[in-house]
């Protein structure tokens, strides 16, 4: 599968995850969100950027439980809970936020 | 949920030459979702998995050694390294990644995940497990 | 005359390197690559035998594999030469035959 963003073509897998995370640019997240009728706010971006930093450091997309705890530590308890994260990303922070961030599907996420 | 069991992942292979090390790490990360008492043992060539300074750019493979540093986030905090295996390979603890975790029960104090144990001690730890998973 | 011996298995898991070292004939070159690079480490249980091989012939290690595994030249037995992929090819062509110890 491919994704068209501003005239550029990006390779994705059959579930829409970016094939090569090095190809990622903010426009990719915008396009993926638009396709799912989501308007990205600064709150969304905070999580997307957090995920990209996490991947940069540990080379994995964290499990939801791990993401929740890590967000809580970095951005505060009011954001480090599943209610907050699922409100931003109703399809699940793993499935949706990781995808927008250009990361692979979290290990163990089905 | 059934009662908590003691799981030990036994790592005995060097990284990159075979896929065992990476497979083990993935199973550990997936398995961490089930609240069990998990530990990892590194013995024989398995100690090479957590060497510092791995740089795989030249061989075109993914360097997965940074992921060991995330194990603490997954509540995997007991990494037993066998002293004799290090010595036979001319290595010391200083050659290994400084793997840490934050102890929730101790005001998030940062602690070492790596515990250096003798062959004898590791044998005893293995005897104490409910499940041993070998890679 | 000369044979290039390649070893790609860890000396602590298989006896490929030990057996290779026991079969060296004059003019030999030994190249350690993939998990075989662990044979180039100092202070190991097999280091003395590798040091002997360095004294009476040429021993090489593939730098890319060495670096991938977090090893550096400070940990390497003195006298071992580092080659890259192109150097590996040169060695193979310059020797009369290649023996791959698996």
């Amino acid at each position: 599968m491919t994704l068209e963003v501003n005239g550029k073509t990006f390779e994705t897998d059959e579930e829409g995850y970016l094939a090569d995370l090095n190809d990622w640019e903010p426009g990719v997240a915008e396009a993926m969100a638009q396709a799912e009728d989501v308007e990205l706010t600064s709150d969304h971006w905070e999580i997307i950027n957090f995920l990209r930093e996490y991947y940069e450091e540990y080379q994995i997309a964290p499990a939801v439980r791990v993401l929740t705890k890590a967000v809580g530590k970095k951005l505060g308890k009011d954001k480090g809970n599943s209610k907050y994260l699922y409100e931003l990303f109703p399809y699940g922070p793993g499935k949706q936020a990781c995808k927008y961030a250009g990361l692979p599907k979290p290990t163990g996420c089905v | 949920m059934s009662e908590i069991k003691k799981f030990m992942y036994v790592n005995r292979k060097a990284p990159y030459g075979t896929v065992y090390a990476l497979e083990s790490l993935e199973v550990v990360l997936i398995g961490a979702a089930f609240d069990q008492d998990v530990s990892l043992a590194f013995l024989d060539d398995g100690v090479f998995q957590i060497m510092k300074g791995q740089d795989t750019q030249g061989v075109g493979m993914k360097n997965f050694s940074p992921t060991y540093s995330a194990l603490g986030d997954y509540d995997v905090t007991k990494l037993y390294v066998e002293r004799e295996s290090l010595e036979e390979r001319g290595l010391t603890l200083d050659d290994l990644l400084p793997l840490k975790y934050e102890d929730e029960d101790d005001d998030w104090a940062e602690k070492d995940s790596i515990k250096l144990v003798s062959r004898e001690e590791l044998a005893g730890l293995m005897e104490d497990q409910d499940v041993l998973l070998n890679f | 005359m000369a044979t290039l011996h390649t070893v790609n298995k860890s000396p602590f898991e298989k006896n490929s390197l030990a057996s290779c070292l026991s079969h060296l004939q004059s003019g030999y070159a030994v190249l350690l690559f993939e998990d075989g690079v662990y044979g180039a480490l100092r202070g190991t249980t097999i280091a003395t035998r590798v040091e002997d091989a360095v004294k009476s012939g040429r021993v090489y290690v593939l730098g890319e594999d060495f670096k991938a595994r977090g090893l550096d030249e400070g940990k390497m037995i003195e006298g071992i030469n580092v080659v890259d992929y192109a150097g590996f090819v040169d060695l193979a062509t310059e020797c009369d035959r290649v023996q791959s110890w698996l």
Side-chain angles (χ1 to χ4, degrees):
Chain A
M1 279 175 35
T2 57
L3 177 76
E4 298 286 333
V5 183
N6 304 327
K8 267 201 265 183
T9 307
F10 295 85
E11 288 287 325
T12 65
D13 68 11
E14 65 275 13
E15 292 177 279
Y17 289 82
L18 208 60
D20 183 350
L21 86 151
N22 296 314
D23 289 346
W24 186 88
E25 56 184 50
V28 169
E30 304 276 8
M32 286 176 171
Q34 205 170 33
E36 290 175 341
D37 276 329
V38 176
E39 196 178 330
L40 293 181
T41 64
S42 59
D43 288 338
H44 290 97
W45 279 110
E46 195 172 43
I47 302 303
I48 291 169
N49 290 327
F50 181 87
L51 278 168
R52 289 192 60 82
E53 284 165 23
Y54 196 93
Y55 192 92
E56 177 67 26
E57 184 166 0
Y58 299 117
Q59 299 294 303
I60 45 165
V64 177
R65 173 177 66 88
V66 173
L67 173 69
T68 308
K69 201 163 74 174
V71 166
K73 221 175 80 190
K74 177 120 185 260
L75 306 173
K77 281 282 172 237
D78 51 327
K79 294 181 175 173
N81 60 77
S82 37
K83 183 172 176 289
Y84 177 81
L85 292 172
Y86 274 89
E87 269 169 11
L88 284 179
F89 301 100
Y91 293 105
K95 275 199 166 70
Q96 211 173 359
C98 286
K99 187 158 84 175
Y100 294 177
L103 309 187
K105 197 153 82 167
T107 305
C109 177
V110 281
Chain B
M1 249 336 233
S2 55
E3 65 188 279
I4 289 182
K5 287 192 170 149
K6 298 186 83 160
F7 279 73
M8 179 182 269
Y9 293 86
V10 179
N11 298 289
R12 297 185 44 251
K13 303 272 197 272
Y16 311 118
T18 62
V19 79
Y20 289 98
L22 178 57
E23 292 279 323
S24 172
L25 186 56
E26 290 192 339
V27 175
V28 169
L29 294 174
I30 295 165
F34 306 93
D35 273 323
Q36 302 290 349
D37 182 355
V38 173
S39 64
L40 272 60
F42 295 91
L43 65 154
D44 299 336
D45 277 355
V47 298
F48 288 133
Q49 293 177 21
I50 48 175
M51 285 281 286
K52 256 182 206 166
Q54 298 177 36
D55 174 5
T56 58
Q57 273 183 354
V59 296
M61 294 172 85
K62 177 170 164 164
N63 176 6
F64 54 89
S65 65
T67 306
Y68 292 98
S69 299
L71 287 173
D73 291 349
Y74 282 76
D75 298 322
V76 176
T77 59
K78 287 177 286 193
L79 310 189
Y80 300 108
V81 175
E82 190 181 270
R83 181 183 288 116
E84 288 85 343
S85 295
L86 283 179
E87 285 167 358
E88 286 160 8
R89 288 159 184 77
L91 303 176
T92 67
L93 264 191
D94 287 342
D95 295 310
L96 304 182
L97 293 164
L99 302 174
K100 314 263 189 204
Y101 72 100
E102 291 169 336
D103 190 348
E104 203 170 339
D105 301 325
D106 189 7
D107 198 22
W108 305 102
E110 203 174 62
K111 297 185 178 175
D112 289 322
S113 297
I114 292 182
K115 291 140 185 61
L116 194 61
V117 294
S118 69
R119 192 159 276 163
E120 184 74 30
E121 287 170 312
L122 187 57
L125 286 162
M126 288 171 168
E127 202 64 23
D128 193 33
Q129 303 296 316
D130 296 305
V131 181
L132 291 158
L133 295 153
N134 274 260
F135 289 90
Chain C
M1 281 290 281
T3 303
L4 172 65
H5 298 265
T6 66
V7 178
N8 72 338
K9 299 295 189 294
S10 163
F12 312 110
E13 185 168 289
K14 298 193 105 190
N15 65 357
S16 315
L17 178 59
S19 195
C20 164
L21 296 176
S22 305
H23 291 85
L24 297 176
Q25 295 292 305
S26 64
Y28 64 83
V30 176
L31 177 92
L32 307 172
F33 73 112
E34 295 177 359
D35 284 349
V37 299
Y38 294 121
L41 278 174
R42 267 186 206 177
T44 71
T45 45
I46 199 167
T48 325
R49 296 200 55 196
V50 178
E51 282 157 14
D52 288 342
V54 169
K55 277 180 208 139
S56 40
R58 295 175 293 161
V59 180
Y60 301 89
V61 66
L62 188 65
E64 282 86 345
D65 285 327
F66 203 62
K67 274 177 76 176
R69 287 158 179 78
L71 312 180
D72 58 56
E73 295 190 29
K75 287 191 169 41
M76 200 169 73
I77 290 168
E78 224 166 297
I80 294 184
N81 302 293
V82 178
V83 291
D84 58 11
Y85 288 110
F88 187 166
V89 175
D90 289 343
L91 279 170
T93 52
E94 146 203 329
C95 290
D96 301 311
R97 65 193 73 75
V98 178
Q99 175 151 6
S100 307
W101 296 84
L102 299 177

